[in-house]
Amino acid sequence: MRIQNTLKNKITFRGKGLHSGSMGNLTLQPAPEDTGIVFVLKDGRQKQFIPYIPDNIIDTRNNITVSNGKALVRTVEHLVAALYGMRVDNCLIETEMNEIPIMDGSALEFIEGIQETGVVEQDKEREELRIVNPVWVTSEDKFIVALPYNGLKLSYTISFPNSPIGTQTFNLDFSTESFLNKIAGARTFGFIEDLDYYRKNGLVLGGDFDNVHVFSRKENRSLNSPRYDDEPVRHKVLDLVGGIAMLNFDIKAFIISYKGGHTLDTLFAQRVMSTISGVQKVGNVYSYGSDTNYYYMLADILDLEKYPS
Ligand SMILES: [Zn+2]
């Protein structure tokens, strides 16, 4: 078992939302042991605290949206993947926007910020969960399955027939190093032919050739330069890491995703939690079976009475 980590100092980012298109600031703050990843949304003079846990995910259609029932934040997946990849277990993400900036479409700029600030060890061990019996979720022909494995290994296959993406598979033996070298820079991708549909539905208003790897089905090619030949499947691994980050512990498993995505990633995290809920207490504070316990715990850790609002 390793020791929990947080940031050495706060970091501020500025950027625009992929879907909203609006500009805003984002500040990552160090947080005490067992906090996990918590979004802090300024709501007038008040602050809304939204823990990044499976139960708080309310939309997975084109991004991961997290909510506490009063406030929400969209497109959190690449930032939380960056935190997970860098082993930043405890972090307050303060934002004035309802969407996390897309930056360059990957996790790279968040990681550069985290590396610049530094990561520090805290005073408690990070909990871990060993998958002993297979855990899986399916939807139509898609699935995610976790098998016993002494470490974290991810295997991902995507299939976009009749497109320049085709079928791609990527395997990752997860570590901070492999995440940084192979996954962190893989960008969000999409098809130019789908843009009209998205825009009509108020989506991808902030998308451009600097933050999306754009493909054309009609021309059967990529319209901007790829960072990797198999960049799309690597990006899906990045998204999956963002899904695993909902679990506030290290999972030891061989996770295989076939045509997964935000919805299946979230269902998988929820399934893992339901598998252990009531059977295993995670750490000495988390009780995922009950939201109320979590909020009491959070109030205690963050000393919410004293937290400036
Ligand atoms: Zn993504």
Side-chain angles (χ1 to χ4, degrees), residues 77-78 102 105 186-189 235-236 238-239 262:
E77 55 271 17
H78 307 152
I102 189 67
R187 291 162 300 170
T188 305
F189 62 94
H235 184 78
K236 297 294 267 187
L238 175 68
D239 284 340
H262 300 317

Side-chain angles (χ1 to χ4, degrees), residues 100-111:
I100 298 302
I102 189 67
M103 312 310 281
D104 74 345
S106 77
L108 215 53
E109 290 175 55
F110 294 130
I111 283 169

Side-chain angles (χ1 to χ4, degrees), residues 38-39 48-53 55-57 66-71 285-288 290-304:
V38 178
F39 292 88
Q48 294 291 342
F49 292 84
I50 315 175
Y52 185 60
I53 54 171
D55 281 352
N56 285 346
I57 309 304
V66 62
S67 171
N68 63 356
K70 293 183 194 132
V285 271
Y286 286 94
S287 175
Y288 279 82
S290 153
D291 270 350
T292 323
N293 283 352
Y294 184 88
Y295 283 98
Y296 277 135
M297 183 276 292
L298 199 68
D300 221 29
I301 292 175
L302 294 179
D303 211 353
L304 285 188

